[in-house]
Structures are given as structure tokens and as C-alpha cells.
Amino acid sequence: MNRFLKNYLGLLAFWTIPLYSYAQTPGPAYLNPALSIQERAGDLVSKMSLQEKISQMRYDAPAIDRLGIPAYNWWNECLHGVGRAGIATVFPQAIGMAASFNEPLMFHIATAISDEARAKHHKYLSLESRNIYQGLTFWTPNINIFRDPRWGRGQETYGEDPFLTGRMAVNFIKGLQGDDPRHLKLVATAKHFAVHSGPESTRHSINVNVSERDLRETYLPAFKLTVKESGVASIMCAYNRFRDEACCGSNLLLKSVLRDEWNFDGYVVSDCWAIRDFFEPDRHGVSATASEAAALAVRSGTDLNCGNVYDPYLMEAVEKGQIAEAEIDQALVRLFAARFRLGMFDQPENVRWASIPYDVVGSEKHRQLALQSSRESIVLLKNSDKILPISKEVSKLAVIGPNADDYQVLLGNYHGTSKHMSTVLEAIRNKVSDQTRIYYAQGSEPAKGVTVLKAVPSTALYPSNRDATSHGLYGEYFDNPSWEGTPAFTRVDAKVNFIWKDKTPVSGIMADAFSVRWTGFIKVAESGSYELGMNACNGAKLFIDDSLLLSFRNPHHPTEIAKAVELEAGRFYKVKIEMFSDGSDPQSHFIWGRPDEGNYEKQALEVAANADLIVAVMGLTPHLEGEEMPVKVDGFDGGDRTHIRLPEVQTRLLQKLHATGKPVVLVLLGGSSISIQWEKENLPAILHAWYPGEFGGDAIADVIFGDYNPSGRLPLTFYQKIEDLPDFEDYSMKGRTYRYFNGTPLYPFGYGQSYTQFTYSKMKLSPGSLQAGRKIQLSVEVSNAGARDGDEVVQVYIRRENAVEALPLRSLKAFRRINLKAGETRRINFELDPADFALANESGVFTIEPGQYSVSVGGGQPITAIPSASGLNPFLIQTLRYNGKTIEFP
């Protein structure tokens, strides 16, 4: 039978089960769309055996054919675009989106992401594919508080402030889950619940304990907002312990707070393999055996296991009386309620989201949204003498730095595959006039001991050692994932540097399984040490002279691995590469680099000597910071940072570039704050662009050359030095974030400059009764006093004057991003709720204490130590006194 016809008939059969059941016979209740979700889920669960129930509590749930339940993999990612599933629009990393301070933009981004996710899901169904990263349940967003810049996963969050985090998350979740009263568009998952933010190296064993005040003031508010306001359908529990309970087995967090206090009615999923931490040696030690761990997690409220503890150990737990089947039933009803809410058992024509066409994926509309979001995320930290923007007619420009010509630094982690990307270097080349000379040098390694790996060029590859004029490797392509039988075709590939995107190379069908074997030779022109490796999915082996150099298989996303080898110039070394793919993101890259190349700096200084101006593109990379990584070099350990400065090799290069006397514009990329004290004091202009997404290079060039007026604001504090911070493992908020840090920051939360100047006037704060619950009206006039149009982020902070030490110095309570034309003035209105003035006491209870409060409104925090030259972050303050009944204005 024709494959496409077979796929179509299979999909049609799946979707028409409910139609057939009710067209012909009364059928089971779970197929009746007229019943409530709870009735349908309960009926379906009642028809399962215990073993079938347990099988559905693992993330890769198998089919139950007799009940018409198809296989389903619950694991999917869309942190800043659909991740790890081939083509998708890649938006700025989460920390960059937070820097936009733009709630409506977050909703539009999430709507675009959910459009693409739905379209991809139904495309996969049409191909009878139900693998990881193909479902409708997404483990996004990460709303942990980025309390310490050393945390490598902080890039996944919306920063250090609970209010900003909550507002961005609410809008993102609403965009993901949609507004249909019958069916969810996607399931969003707020993670990691709760009190979780590193270190990565101890996350499987650390026991966190914070005060009730810190818990309620900082760690829980964003989660509460997502439950109460956005109706998030899922929560992921964290790896660590909290107050001696493993978070995925916590009665306090999952029962008392989440279910009883907040009335959460969705399901809870464990972080991946977190339940194994309950009983494995040198971890939490809260359970003696796997069955005890499984029972504890389910009893506490963790319904779905990303891992392999529930199946098979829940059966043993039931047999030993450690858990009752009725408790398992409760978890199953929650899980199937989610699948019913997604429309998985309804006819497609009755599911609004099932008709989204595939051509929305990477569409022009979404690409323009990605460009807008990249632009809005960029923060201008310094611009002395208005050196920016640069003229496009600049005569000679040097672009230098390890991040200047690297695609990966645009993406961060948990990303998809873009149709379009331009590095910063490429975007600058595309922006300037034909008369401008562009000089480029890498300049340095990202960090000492870290090699930049790029595709092995065709000039070093040979299909035969007898023909030095032909280049490339001989490729055998198979229509199966195990190199079996006769190749479907063979060819010589100039180099192994493939991202197959939506069409696999053998069948041309998205997500089809295949394998490739490349053979030939590699020859280098210069003897020395080389890093040779692979970046591939889902598995690969690399042989040099018939010896296995490296091997990996079944990663959940493209994996980069390399090893050092000594190569002699002029000698032909045999190469064999075997890779296979049976997933959603097929790609294969044969990569190399020179770890002992010592002329980076020399080349950079030669390039700088030719230029009139230098753009230095520096910072961090997703190869250095991220989730539980095998990285241990100066400044980085296991995905976290051991200091918060720029890597030493980069600072040394910047100092030498500065010594040339040429103006240096510093562009920073990375997922966190960086201590750039020397750079701030010595360089005339600094931009922070985070991991800015597929259009990040273009957006940076737009800002540098004045096609876009920068308007991002810092979603976290930039500290002067690591000594300003408490111990990384100390979760107390004392001395952390702008709300509790008493020192002088390098750059404060909420900070960001513009190419224009904004002024504030005529602040009005209306009287109200906090006790009666009446809203307080705040208004202010904002003027663009400069010569350029631009966006301003208006920020409102409340401070309890003369408060005890444990209370926040001030807290963000409202913000709005506005666009003002040059010379335009607009009155901006806010409503403050009485709850905005409440603070948690030692018992965690929020109260509004009598006393004096200050309300500030402006372009940043009311910090007089931060200069306001050129209209930078002006602010107005009004004080009020609350006597327990009414508000008085002194």
C-alpha cells in the first residue's frame, strides 16, 4: 500500500473512533464528548487493569489498543520556541524575553509557539509518529527565581524578581494554552516547584531550607500567579529537597500549598529521573527502595514520572501495601483529564486547534515577531559620548571575539532549528555600505581550555588517499537506523555538516529513521593537537585509523562530544563516521578545532590595527553554562559559574584592544549578569544581548547602526564582584537581588539606556482605603525629550520605609512598555491594589502594617547612586502614610 495512503488511513482511523462509537452504539462513556472531562477520564481509568494504569504514568506511555488509547510521549519543550523537533522559530532565550518587560509581546510569542507546536504535532500524527518532542504537553516555562548569577540554568528563567517573573509567565502560559473553553491548545508546565536554583552539581542531594517569609515573598508568588491567573495545567516538581522532603514527594509543597491552598486541579510531573534520587546512594535518602519511592511520590501528588520508577515499581508497591490502587486512580484521572482537554479523543473538526496548517512553522509572520523580540531584549548598558549608533558608512570596521561568528550563541539551550540565522559578523556585513571594509578575527577562546569547534572543511577530507584532488567523504545512506542491507544511495559529501530539517535524506519524509556511514581520510596541513568530534542526534561513532575515538547514542537532543588527537601534517588518517537518527531533529556534524592554536590574539591585534573602530563580541556561551554539564574550566563547573567575571582570556584581549587607542564597542552575549567593572570604566559603549534567538545577529546590527533604538531593561542585578554575594548554596534572600542587596550594583535591576531621553512629570497618586480594598490610582506624564522615537519601560516600585532588615528594600509592583515619538508626551495610568502594599511577616502571612510607604515611578529603580545624566532612568517619588484605616499624604 502507498505509504502516504496508509498514513492517512491510520490517522483517519484514530480520529474517527469517537465518531464511530456514537454513530453506531452507545459505546463507552469516555468517548462521549457531551460528558464532563472528569466523567470521561474517570470512566476510561475504570476500564484499565492495574498494570495498564501504571504503564500510563510514565512519560513514554505505551498504547492500550483494546481501549483505543494510542501511545503518547509526554516530554516536549518550548522554552523559547518549539525545541528539539526540527524546524521552528527560535525566539530569544527566556532571560532575553524577560528583558523586554513586555507582557503583550510574551503572549504573542507564546501564541506563535503554540501555533507551531500544534501544527507539528498533527503533522507527526499523519506520519504515524508519536515520539519524544512530538506531543502537546510542554515542560515550559521555568519560573524559578534567578537568585544567584552563578546558576547556569538562570538563562531559562525570567530573572530575579517574583513580580516580573509572574507577569511574564502568566502571559506566556495563556499564549501556550489558548483561550478555547473546550480544549487546551497545549499543556504548559510551570517548573521547578519549588525553591530551586542551583547549584547544578548538588541538585540531586541538596536540602534547602528558607524562612517562611522568603518562601512566601520570593519563591512561591510566581507559581501562585500561574495557578490562580493563567490556569496552568501542569506543574513540574524539582530535584532538590525542601525542608527535608524531596520536592517530588513533598506533602508541604504538593498537598498543603499546591492542592489545598491554591486549589490546583492539574497534574504534577516529576523532573526527569528525580524520583530515583529518593533512594539512590548519596542522594536524598528519603526512601529505602524503589517501590517506597514510587509510593511516596504518588501519595504526595506526583502523577507522572519522567523516568523509570513508577513502571515497574508501583506494582510492587501495591503488592506490599505501600500504596492503594485508588491513589493511583486519582493520578490517572488527572493525566487523562489533560489528554481529554487537549482533544485527543475527539473528532478533529471539533477541536479548534487541530486545523492549524503546517506552513505556520517558521512563517514570515513568526520570523518578524522573532526579530521584534530580539530587538526588544537588547540592553544598552553604556554609551559614552554617544558613540552609538555607528554610521553605516564607517570606513574600516573590525569585528573581533569568540562570539562574533558563532551560531550557537544565538540560541542558548532548549532550542529548535531555525530556517534563518545570521551571526553577528554576517549581520554586520549585511548592514554596512559596499565601501566599508570589514575585518574579522576570533581573538580568543571562549574560556581558557575551551576549543571553538567548527565543521571540518572539505579541504581536509578525501574519499581516497590515492587522489589528492578530490575532497569530501564517501557516504552510504540507509533507509533504516542500523546500517542494514544495501544503501539506498551513495555519494561523496564535501563535508559532514548537515541539518536535515523537515526532510530526511533518504525518504524525504520528516522524522523518518535512517542512518549514514561516511568513510575516507583526513589530512592536515600543520602538525599538532586537534579536537575531533561529532555533534549529532540520535547517536554516532567516530573512528580514526580503525580505532574508536568516541561514541554516543540515544541523546534527547543534539549532543556535541570531542576528544584530542595528535595529527601529523601530510599524513592520511582513515576516518569512519556512523550516525543514525530516529527522532525529530536529524543532524550530523563532523567538527574540529585547534586547542593549541596560540595566534588568536595576534591575529586580532593585526585586524584591529587596520580598523577605525572595533566591535568586540564577547561573553558566555551555552557550551559553558547550562543544565548539569560536563564542563570544568576556569570560571565554570558543571554548568554553573565559579566567578562572575568575563573569562580571563576575553578580558585580556579587550585590554589589549583598548590599548590600541581605537574605540571599542563591547557586545556581550550570555544568559546571566557579568561583572564587567574594568570594561565599564574603560570602554565607551556596552550592549548586552543575552542569547538573542535566530534573528539575534540582525537585531544586534540594527541597534549598533541605529535602525533600532535599544529599549531592553535588566531583569537581574549586575554585581561588581562575586564577594558581594552570599554562598551559592545559601537560599536565604538576605543580600540577594535588588530587593535585598544593600551594596552598590554595577548595574541595577530594571536598568537600560536609550538613544533618546525620557522625562517624567505630574505624578498623581489618588487617595484610597487599603482596608476597604479600593484600588489606588497612579498616573504620570512621560515625555520623549530627545530627537529619536523610542520605547520606554515605565516601572513602579513600592517601599516600606523604616522596615525591619528582613523586608525588601523595594519591590516592583507594576510596569508598562510604551512607544513615544520624538517630542511626544503621554499620561500613563496604573492601578495599585492594596495587596501591593502587603508584606509577609515571620509566619509568612501577608499584612499591611501601619506606617510610611513610598511609591516611585520612572525608567528604573529610585537609586540616586545611579547617575541620571542624559535623562537616564529618571524617577518621581510620592510618600503616603497608612494609619490602619485610611491613607494620608504627608
Side-chain angles (χ1 to χ4, degrees):
M1 181 184 294
N2 177 279
R3 172 171 180 157
F4 289 101
L5 178 60
K6 178 183 177 182
N7 288 340
Y8 174 76
L9 292 175
L11 179 64
L12 184 64
F14 167 71
W15 280 110
T16 53
I17 287 174
L19 175 64
Y20 175 80
S21 299
Y22 278 90
Q24 305 297 325
T25 64
Y30 69 85
L31 293 180
N32 184 354
L35 297 179
S36 72
I37 293 296
Q38 291 299 313
E39 289 173 316
R40 297 176 73 182
D43 180 66
L44 179 55
V45 170
S46 72
K47 295 176 171 21
M48 297 180 190
S49 68
L50 178 59
Q51 183 56 60
E52 287 172 335
K53 293 173 184 176
I54 292 171
S55 75
Q56 298 301 297
M57 297 175 71
R58 56 184 295 159
Y59 76 97
D60 51 348
I64 304 177
D65 293 333
R66 69 180 187 86
L67 295 175
I69 301 174
Y72 184 66
N73 196 304
W74 293 78
W75 189 338
N76 214 334
E77 306 283 357
C78 66
L79 180 63
H80 54 123
V82 178
R84 302 174 178 175
I87 288 293
T89 305
V90 184
F91 296 91
Q93 178 59 290
I95 193 70
M97 291 192 284
S100 74
F101 277 69
N102 191 335
E103 292 187 68
L105 179 65
M106 288 295 287
F107 176 80
H108 294 314
I109 290 171
T111 299
I113 292 171
S114 55
D115 281 350
E116 295 192 5
R118 263 289 176 172
K120 291 175 82 70
H121 171 72
H122 294 293
K123 178 70 171 180
Y124 288 127
L125 285 185
S126 73
L127 299 171
E128 298 181 342
S129 188
R130 303 174 184 276
N131 294 328
I132 190 172
Y133 308 131
Q134 296 177 0
L136 294 174
T137 44
F138 286 81
W139 296 348
T140 299
N142 182 341
I143 60 171
N144 293 131
I145 297 302
F146 196 178
R147 65 184 175 89
D148 192 301
R150 286 168 284 197
W151 187 34
R153 293 192 76 182
Q155 61 176 289
E156 302 173 24
T157 75
Y158 301 133
E160 71 184 31
D161 182 66
F163 179 77
L164 176 65
T165 296
R167 295 315 314 161
M168 302 304 262
V170 163
N171 284 274
F172 199 76
I173 290 166
K174 286 182 176 180
L176 292 185
Q177 296 193 162
D179 58 358
D180 187 86
R182 295 185 59 191
H183 294 114
L184 289 170
K185 194 177 185 184
L186 306 178
V187 162
T189 303
K191 65 182 186 185
H192 309 81
F193 193 63
V195 201
H196 176 84
S197 52
E200 287 297 295
S201 61
T202 60
R203 66 181 186 171
H204 300 287
S205 58
I206 191 172
N207 183 33
V208 175
N209 192 355
V210 300
S211 69
E212 197 67 20
R213 174 177 277 147
D214 281 347
L215 179 67
R216 298 291 176 164
E217 281 275 6
T218 299
Y219 292 108
L220 292 186
F223 283 100
K224 184 176 181 179
L225 267 179
T226 64
V227 171
K228 293 289 191 177
E229 188 171 337
S230 68
V232 68
S234 173
I235 296 286
M236 176 180 280
C237 48
Y239 283 113
N240 54 280
R241 273 173 291 153
F242 178 65
R243 296 180 182 170
D244 301 323
E245 291 184 309
C247 289
C248 290
S250 172
N251 286 310
L252 169 62
L253 293 176
L254 301 183
K255 284 188 175 179
S256 298
V257 174
L258 189 62
R259 298 285 182 193
D260 297 341
E261 186 178 330
W262 296 348
N263 298 314
F264 174 68
D265 62 357
Y267 68 89
V268 174
V269 55
S270 74
D271 208 337
C272 293
W273 285 268
I275 296 172
R276 299 199 70 86
D277 294 341
F278 288 19
F279 62 90
E280 288 191 340
D282 301 319
R283 298 204 168 181
H284 294 318
V286 296
S287 301
T289 65
S291 65
E292 287 181 9
L296 171 60
V298 176
R299 287 200 321 269
S300 301
T302 301
D303 308 300
L304 180 67
N305 180 205
C306 180
N308 55 2
V309 174
Y310 285 3
D311 189 4
Y313 297 106
L314 269 177
M315 181 64 76
E316 179 184 340
V318 173
E319 292 170 352
K320 290 182 176 180
Q322 294 167 334
I323 191 171
E325 186 171 352
E327 294 173 283
I328 292 174
D329 289 350
Q330 185 180 46
L332 261 292
V333 169
R334 290 173 183 152
L335 294 178
F336 275 96
R339 293 181 68 174
F340 279 109
R341 291 181 70 193
L342 287 164
M344 291 184 173
F345 296 89
D346 294 336
Q347 295 176 292
E349 59 265 31
N350 293 329
V351 180
R352 170 184 167 191
W353 313 114
S355 60
I356 296 174
Y358 193 77
D359 61 12
V360 303
V361 178
S363 64
E364 180 61 24
K365 177 182 177 182
H366 292 178
R367 286 157 53 86
Q368 289 302 312
L369 185 62
L371 175 60
Q372 177 191 353
S373 57
S374 296
R375 288 168 167 171
E376 292 193 14
S377 71
I378 296 172
V379 183
L380 178 61
L381 295 175
K382 183 180 179 182
N383 192 23
S384 296
D385 302 323
K386 298 184 178 179
I387 189 173
L388 292 177
I390 301 169
S391 169
K392 295 175 188 175
E393 306 301 321
V394 60
S395 177
K396 293 177 291 184
L397 182 66
V399 181
I400 297 171
N403 287 348
D405 197 29
D406 186 352
Y407 292 103
Q408 193 63 37
V409 296
L410 304 178
L411 302 176
N413 65 4
Y414 285 94
H415 60 82
T417 299
S418 170
K419 284 183 177 180
H420 159 93
M421 279 200 294
S422 295
T423 65
V424 178
L425 173 64
E426 291 169 343
I428 288 175
R429 281 176 172 158
N430 293 334
K431 182 70 67 172
V432 297
S433 71
D434 294 338
Q435 285 72 43
T436 299
R437 294 287 303 275
I438 299 289
Y439 304 93
Y440 164 71
Q442 180 180 311
S444 75
E445 300 168 318
K448 186 178 180 180
V450 177
T451 304
V452 175
L453 300 175
K454 297 186 177 182
V456 179
S458 177
T459 52
L461 302 175
Y462 301 83
S464 169
N465 63 349
R466 295 182 178 87
D467 181 5
T469 62
S470 297
H471 291 281
L473 295 178
Y474 178 72
E476 301 171 279
Y477 289 74
F478 298 84
D479 62 0
N480 60 77
S482 51
W483 310 277
E484 294 178 354
T486 303
F489 65 87
T490 62
R491 70 187 186 198
V492 174
D493 291 316
K495 55 185 176 179
V496 178
N497 190 34
F498 295 104
I499 298 177
W500 283 284
K501 300 183 179 179
D502 279 353
K503 292 185 178 180
T504 50
V506 179
S507 68
I509 298 173
M510 185 171 74
D512 239 6
F514 69 97
S515 56
V516 188
R517 179 185 295 121
W518 287 282
T519 54
F521 298 85
I522 186 171
K523 185 178 72 169
V524 299
E526 185 178 340
S527 298
S529 178
Y530 289 77
E531 292 268 352
L532 289 181
M534 293 294 299
N535 186 343
C537 199
N538 293 89
K541 293 180 180 180
L542 172 60
F543 298 84
I544 301 295
D545 276 352
D546 297 322
S547 295
L548 180 65
L549 182 67
L550 55 86
S551 174
F552 63 89
R553 64 180 293 116
N554 294 326
H556 290 135
H557 51 87
T559 296
E560 181 176 292
I561 184 171
K563 289 187 177 180
V565 295
E566 293 293 325
L567 299 179
E568 180 183 334
R571 177 183 165 187
F572 286 92
Y573 293 85
K574 289 176 66 176
V575 173
K576 181 171 71 171
I577 300 168
E578 293 181 333
M579 67 80 58
F580 75 91
S581 176
D582 58 3
S584 308
D585 194 17
Q587 51 184 283
S588 187
H589 311 271
F590 181 29
I591 52 181
W592 75 349
R594 290 293 305 276
D596 61 350
E597 186 171 1
N599 60 356
Y600 288 137
E601 199 172 89
K602 177 183 176 183
Q603 292 172 349
L605 294 175
E606 290 173 353
V607 161
N610 293 325
D612 300 321
L613 187 145
I614 300 165
V615 176
V617 190
M618 306 291 197
L620 311 177
T621 82
H623 295 303
L624 295 173
E625 59 171 352
E627 182 178 4
E628 205 169 16
M629 300 167 65
V631 177
K632 193 173 181 64
V633 297
D634 180 43
F636 304 90
D637 185 8
D640 294 323
R641 299 159 69 194
T642 56
H643 64 65
I644 58 174
R645 305 184 305 273
L646 268 180
E648 181 183 353
V649 291
Q650 295 188 44
T651 296
R652 186 175 66 238
L653 174 61
L654 282 170
Q655 290 170 344
K656 292 186 176 182
L657 293 176
H658 173 64
T660 67
K662 308 293 178 68
V664 178
V665 174
L666 175 59
V667 178
L668 293 171
L669 290 97
S672 182
S673 65
I674 304 174
S675 175
I676 47 171
Q677 186 70 49
W678 180 89
E679 293 81 357
K680 178 183 178 183
E681 292 172 356
N682 291 279
L683 303 182
I686 304 174
L687 291 171
H688 201 304
W690 317 103
Y691 297 124
E694 67 178 74
F695 278 97
D698 303 88
I700 290 167
D702 286 343
V703 170
I704 288 175
F705 293 101
D707 289 336
Y708 184 79
N709 188 351
S711 53
R713 301 293 183 262
L714 293 180
L716 67 170
T717 302
F718 276 44
Y719 300 94
Q720 295 193 45
K721 55 188 183 301
I722 197 169
E723 289 76 15
D724 290 339
L725 291 165
D727 184 85
F728 190 6
E729 291 192 354
D730 180 2
Y731 270 72
S732 167
M733 291 308 298
K734 182 179 180 180
R736 294 190 182 279
T737 77
Y738 80 94
R739 298 169 69 233
Y740 300 94
F741 178 59
N742 277 301
T744 301
L746 186 68
Y747 293 109
F749 173 91
Y751 176 91
Q753 295 194 34
S754 170
Y755 292 157
T756 190
Q757 176 180 340
F758 298 100
T759 61
Y760 288 73
S761 61
K762 300 179 182 178
M763 176 183 180
K764 293 182 179 179
L765 196 62
S766 69
S769 174
L770 296 181
Q771 195 174 54
R774 195 169 69 205
K775 301 282 188 181
I776 295 174
Q777 306 301 314
L778 167 65
S779 68
V780 67
E781 285 192 0
V782 186
S783 300
N784 183 345
R788 298 176 62 106
D789 300 348
D791 284 9
E792 168 72 318
V793 177
V794 185
Q795 303 167 45
V796 178
Y797 295 86
I798 293 179
R799 169 183 170 87
R800 168 80 185 279
E801 301 294 339
N802 304 313
V804 299
E805 183 180 1
L807 293 177
L809 299 172
R810 68 188 58 84
S811 295
L812 181 70
K813 293 299 180 181
F815 61 89
R816 187 170 308 149
R817 187 186 184 101
I818 61 172
N819 179 267
L820 293 177
K821 303 295 183 184
E824 180 183 0
T825 296
R826 189 184 312 166
R827 178 158 287 279
I828 307 300
N829 299 299
F830 296 96
E831 279 191 342
L832 297 178
D833 191 273
D836 294 329
F837 292 83
L839 294 169
N841 61 23
E842 293 180 355
S843 301
V845 177
F846 283 88
T847 60
I848 307 172
E849 295 293 333
Q852 185 167 302
Y853 296 79
S854 65
V855 178
S856 71
V857 58
Q861 293 183 57
I863 305 175
T864 55
I866 302 300
S868 57
S870 302
L872 174 61
N873 287 347
F875 55 85
L876 302 173
I877 299 177
Q878 187 162 342
T879 60
L880 56 88
R881 184 177 300 280
Y882 177 59
N883 62 18
K885 295 182 179 180
T886 60
I887 296 175
E888 304 166 352
F889 292 90

